[in-house]
Amino acid sequence: MSIQAIEDTKVKAFPTPAKPAEVIAFTAKVRRRFDPAAIAGKLASTLVPPAIVIVVMLVIWQIACSSPNASLPPPSQVWNEAYDLIAHPFFDYGPQDIGLAWRVLISLQRVAIGFGLAAIVGVALGALVGQSIWAMRGLDPVFQILRTVPPLAWLPLSLAAFRDSSPSAIFVIFITSIWPVIINTAVGVRNIPEDYRNVSRILRLNQLEFFVKIMVPAAAPYIFTGLRIGIGLSWLAIVAAEMLTGGVGIGFFIWDAWNSSRLPDIIVALAYIGVTGFCLDRLVAAVGAFVTRGTTAK
């Protein structure tokens, strides 16, 4: 019998066992369960430390200013004398007699206009400076000189130009907040990877398409860093400008309270200003995180 016949006989007598069928596992999508304990723990870790610090500061303040010779009122006196401002922030008894919440909203309207204009113009000029070497050489020295001018130094010129306190305050906000937006946008545009630029050349994108689809998404972290700095400077500028221009904003309220020797009212207004500035910073940061997360996902 030949070798081939012997092999054929072995195959027939002892057939090769069939391979077991492969089992394909379908993993079910894990659903995140609502965990109140984890949420409570996260909130506690976020809120408890600053609450403890605030309580300690209030206790130290109360002890330091409780003596009759103290020049500043303690927290207990602030609460007693400025209770109406704290408990009723939205009262309205006339054009000049309104709650602090209304005064903050009036100031925020001016900030929204001035900062909005600064964001639009700042991003456009920053993109120009970052994209063009000639624009950078011509405009960057001018920007570096103008950004060192204090905000209130622009107020007399703006009053002379606009002849009205409201547009003058808006201009001061604009000229104060535009510089960090320009500088950070220019840095972000200059740091765009060369691969992105090569892709735009391959796709033959025009300048507008390159700006919208590549430049802004790539420079978004830098842009929003400049916007966060700018919104803080805007809030600082409006309070200082309103002290000099008057009106019904929160800045003028502080100046009027100082002229009337109402120190508790000033302290409450400072708390409103600080909380509002913190909320503005968190708002811009949240928008920046959302936008940059979206551009990264794409």
Side-chain angles (χ1 to χ4, degrees), residues 89-116:
F90 289 98
F91 70 83
D92 187 354
Y93 299 143
Q96 295 293 332
D97 191 7
I98 57 177
L100 286 182
W102 293 119
R103 295 181 183 275
V104 169
L105 290 176
I106 292 172
S107 298
L108 284 176
Q109 289 178 358
R110 297 171 177 171
V111 169
I113 298 173
F115 177 71

Short mmCIF file of all heavy atoms in Angstrom, two decimals, residues 89-116:
data_model
loop_
_atom_site.label_atom_id
_atom_site.label_comp_id
_atom_site.label_asym_id
_atom_site.label_seq_id
_atom_site.Cartn_x
_atom_site.Cartn_y
_atom_site.Cartn_z
N PRO A 89 -32.52 92.15 47.38
CA PRO A 89 -31.65 92.73 46.35
C PRO A 89 -32.38 93.28 45.14
O PRO A 89 -31.78 93.97 44.32
CB PRO A 89 -30.77 91.53 45.94
CG PRO A 89 -31.61 90.33 46.22
CD PRO A 89 -32.43 90.68 47.43
N PHE A 90 -33.69 93.02 45.00
CA PHE A 90 -34.42 93.44 43.80
C PHE A 90 -35.49 94.50 44.09
O PHE A 90 -36.43 94.64 43.32
CB PHE A 90 -35.09 92.23 43.13
CG PHE A 90 -34.12 91.29 42.47
CD1 PHE A 90 -33.70 90.14 43.12
CD2 PHE A 90 -33.62 91.56 41.20
CE1 PHE A 90 -32.80 89.27 42.51
CE2 PHE A 90 -32.72 90.69 40.59
CZ PHE A 90 -32.31 89.55 41.25
N PHE A 91 -35.35 95.22 45.18
CA PHE A 91 -36.35 96.24 45.44
C PHE A 91 -36.17 97.41 44.47
O PHE A 91 -35.08 97.68 43.97
CB PHE A 91 -36.28 96.74 46.89
CG PHE A 91 -35.06 97.56 47.22
CD1 PHE A 91 -35.02 98.92 46.94
CD2 PHE A 91 -33.96 96.97 47.83
CE1 PHE A 91 -33.91 99.68 47.26
CE2 PHE A 91 -32.84 97.72 48.14
CZ PHE A 91 -32.82 99.09 47.85
N ASP A 92 -37.26 98.12 44.20
CA ASP A 92 -37.24 99.23 43.25
C ASP A 92 -38.20 100.30 43.76
O ASP A 92 -39.42 100.20 43.61
CB ASP A 92 -37.66 98.75 41.86
CG ASP A 92 -37.49 99.83 40.79
OD1 ASP A 92 -37.16 100.98 41.16
OD2 ASP A 92 -37.70 99.52 39.61
N TYR A 93 -37.61 101.36 44.35
CA TYR A 93 -38.39 102.45 44.91
C TYR A 93 -38.23 103.74 44.11
O TYR A 93 -38.68 104.80 44.55
CB TYR A 93 -38.01 102.71 46.36
CG TYR A 93 -38.24 101.53 47.27
CD1 TYR A 93 -37.36 101.24 48.31
CD2 TYR A 93 -39.34 100.70 47.10
CE1 TYR A 93 -37.57 100.16 49.14
CE2 TYR A 93 -39.56 99.61 47.93
CZ TYR A 93 -38.67 99.34 48.96
OH TYR A 93 -38.88 98.26 49.77
N GLY A 94 -37.61 103.66 42.96
CA GLY A 94 -37.40 104.86 42.17
C GLY A 94 -36.17 104.72 41.30
O GLY A 94 -35.43 103.72 41.38
N PRO A 95 -35.90 105.70 40.44
CA PRO A 95 -34.77 105.59 39.51
C PRO A 95 -33.42 105.43 40.20
O PRO A 95 -32.56 104.71 39.72
CB PRO A 95 -34.83 106.91 38.72
CG PRO A 95 -36.25 107.37 38.85
CD PRO A 95 -36.70 106.92 40.19
N GLN A 96 -33.22 106.11 41.34
CA GLN A 96 -31.96 106.05 42.04
C GLN A 96 -32.00 105.20 43.30
O GLN A 96 -30.99 105.10 44.01
CB GLN A 96 -31.51 107.48 42.40
CG GLN A 96 -31.20 108.36 41.21
CD GLN A 96 -29.97 107.90 40.44
OE1 GLN A 96 -29.08 107.28 41.00
NE2 GLN A 96 -29.94 108.18 39.14
N ASP A 97 -33.15 104.62 43.61
CA ASP A 97 -33.30 103.82 44.83
C ASP A 97 -33.71 102.41 44.45
O ASP A 97 -34.88 102.03 44.50
CB ASP A 97 -34.35 104.46 45.75
CG ASP A 97 -34.36 103.83 47.14
OD1 ASP A 97 -33.47 103.01 47.42
OD2 ASP A 97 -35.27 104.16 47.92
N ILE A 98 -32.74 101.62 44.03
CA ILE A 98 -32.99 100.25 43.59
C ILE A 98 -32.03 99.31 44.31
O ILE A 98 -31.02 99.73 44.90
CB ILE A 98 -32.80 100.11 42.05
CG1 ILE A 98 -31.39 100.54 41.64
CG2 ILE A 98 -33.86 100.91 41.32
CD1 ILE A 98 -31.11 100.37 40.16
N GLY A 99 -32.36 98.02 44.29
CA GLY A 99 -31.54 97.02 44.95
C GLY A 99 -30.21 96.79 44.26
O GLY A 99 -30.00 97.16 43.10
N LEU A 100 -29.30 96.13 44.98
CA LEU A 100 -27.97 95.90 44.43
C LEU A 100 -28.00 94.95 43.24
O LEU A 100 -27.15 95.04 42.36
CB LEU A 100 -27.06 95.33 45.53
CG LEU A 100 -26.59 96.33 46.59
CD1 LEU A 100 -25.67 95.65 47.58
CD2 LEU A 100 -25.90 97.52 45.94
N ALA A 101 -28.95 94.04 43.22
CA ALA A 101 -29.03 93.12 42.08
C ALA A 101 -29.33 93.89 40.80
O ALA A 101 -28.75 93.59 39.74
CB ALA A 101 -30.09 92.06 42.32
N TRP A 102 -30.23 94.88 40.87
CA TRP A 102 -30.51 95.69 39.68
C TRP A 102 -29.28 96.50 39.28
O TRP A 102 -29.01 96.66 38.09
CB TRP A 102 -31.69 96.64 39.95
CG TRP A 102 -33.01 95.96 40.13
CD1 TRP A 102 -33.80 95.99 41.24
CD2 TRP A 102 -33.68 95.14 39.18
NE1 TRP A 102 -34.93 95.24 41.05
CE2 TRP A 102 -34.89 94.71 39.78
CE3 TRP A 102 -33.40 94.72 37.89
CZ2 TRP A 102 -35.80 93.89 39.13
CZ3 TRP A 102 -34.31 93.90 37.23
CH2 TRP A 102 -35.49 93.49 37.84
N ARG A 103 -28.55 97.02 40.24
CA ARG A 103 -27.35 97.79 39.92
C ARG A 103 -26.29 96.90 39.25
O ARG A 103 -25.61 97.33 38.31
CB ARG A 103 -26.78 98.42 41.19
CG ARG A 103 -27.72 99.46 41.82
CD ARG A 103 -27.10 100.08 43.06
NE ARG A 103 -28.01 101.03 43.69
CZ ARG A 103 -28.14 102.31 43.36
NH1 ARG A 103 -27.38 102.81 42.38
NH2 ARG A 103 -28.98 103.10 44.00
N VAL A 104 -26.16 95.67 39.74
CA VAL A 104 -25.21 94.74 39.11
C VAL A 104 -25.63 94.43 37.68
O VAL A 104 -24.79 94.36 36.77
CB VAL A 104 -25.10 93.47 39.96
CG1 VAL A 104 -24.35 92.38 39.20
CG2 VAL A 104 -24.40 93.75 41.28
N LEU A 105 -26.92 94.24 37.45
CA LEU A 105 -27.40 93.94 36.10
C LEU A 105 -27.16 95.12 35.16
O LEU A 105 -26.82 94.91 33.98
CB LEU A 105 -28.89 93.60 36.14
CG LEU A 105 -29.26 92.26 36.80
CD1 LEU A 105 -30.77 92.10 36.87
CD2 LEU A 105 -28.63 91.10 36.03
N ILE A 106 -27.33 96.34 35.66
CA ILE A 106 -27.05 97.51 34.82
C ILE A 106 -25.57 97.55 34.44
O ILE A 106 -25.21 97.82 33.29
CB ILE A 106 -27.48 98.79 35.55
CG1 ILE A 106 -29.01 98.83 35.67
CG2 ILE A 106 -26.98 100.03 34.82
CD1 ILE A 106 -29.52 99.94 36.54
N SER A 107 -24.71 97.27 35.40
CA SER A 107 -23.28 97.24 35.10
C SER A 107 -22.94 96.10 34.14
O SER A 107 -22.09 96.25 33.26
CB SER A 107 -22.48 97.09 36.40
OG SER A 107 -22.69 98.19 37.26
N LEU A 108 -23.62 94.97 34.30
CA LEU A 108 -23.35 93.82 33.42
C LEU A 108 -23.78 94.11 31.98
O LEU A 108 -23.18 93.58 31.04
CB LEU A 108 -24.08 92.58 33.94
CG LEU A 108 -23.46 91.89 35.16
CD1 LEU A 108 -24.34 90.74 35.62
CD2 LEU A 108 -22.06 91.39 34.83
N GLN A 109 -24.80 94.93 31.80
CA GLN A 109 -25.19 95.30 30.44
C GLN A 109 -24.05 96.04 29.73
O GLN A 109 -23.75 95.76 28.57
CB GLN A 109 -26.44 96.17 30.48
CG GLN A 109 -27.71 95.44 30.88
CD GLN A 109 -28.91 96.36 30.96
OE1 GLN A 109 -28.80 97.57 30.76
NE2 GLN A 109 -30.07 95.81 31.27
N ARG A 110 -23.43 96.98 30.43
CA ARG A 110 -22.30 97.69 29.85
C ARG A 110 -21.11 96.76 29.61
O ARG A 110 -20.44 96.86 28.59
CB ARG A 110 -21.89 98.84 30.78
CG ARG A 110 -22.98 99.89 30.95
CD ARG A 110 -22.63 100.88 32.04
NE ARG A 110 -23.64 101.92 32.16
CZ ARG A 110 -23.68 102.81 33.14
NH1 ARG A 110 -22.76 102.77 34.10
NH2 ARG A 110 -24.61 103.73 33.18
N VAL A 111 -20.89 95.85 30.54
CA VAL A 111 -19.79 94.89 30.36
C VAL A 111 -20.05 93.99 29.16
O VAL A 111 -19.13 93.69 28.39
CB VAL A 111 -19.60 94.06 31.65
CG1 VAL A 111 -18.66 92.89 31.41
CG2 VAL A 111 -19.07 94.94 32.77
N ALA A 112 -21.30 93.56 28.99
CA ALA A 112 -21.62 92.68 27.87
C ALA A 112 -21.33 93.36 26.53
O ALA A 112 -20.78 92.74 25.61
CB ALA A 112 -23.08 92.25 27.94
N ILE A 113 -21.69 94.64 26.42
CA ILE A 113 -21.46 95.35 25.16
C ILE A 113 -19.96 95.57 24.93
O ILE A 113 -19.41 95.25 23.87
CB ILE A 113 -22.21 96.69 25.15
CG1 ILE A 113 -23.72 96.46 25.25
CG2 ILE A 113 -21.89 97.48 23.89
CD1 ILE A 113 -24.52 97.73 25.42
N GLY A 114 -19.29 96.12 25.93
CA GLY A 114 -17.87 96.42 25.77
C GLY A 114 -17.02 95.18 25.59
O GLY A 114 -16.16 95.12 24.71
N PHE A 115 -17.29 94.15 26.39
CA PHE A 115 -16.50 92.93 26.28
C PHE A 115 -16.84 92.17 25.00
O PHE A 115 -15.95 91.55 24.39
CB PHE A 115 -16.75 92.04 27.50
CG PHE A 115 -16.04 90.72 27.43
CD1 PHE A 115 -14.66 90.64 27.57
CD2 PHE A 115 -16.75 89.55 27.23
CE1 PHE A 115 -14.01 89.43 27.51
CE2 PHE A 115 -16.11 88.33 27.16
CZ PHE A 115 -14.73 88.27 27.30
N GLY A 116 -18.10 92.20 24.59
CA GLY A 116 -18.46 91.54 23.33
C GLY A 116 -17.74 92.14 22.14
O GLY A 116 -17.21 91.42 21.29
#
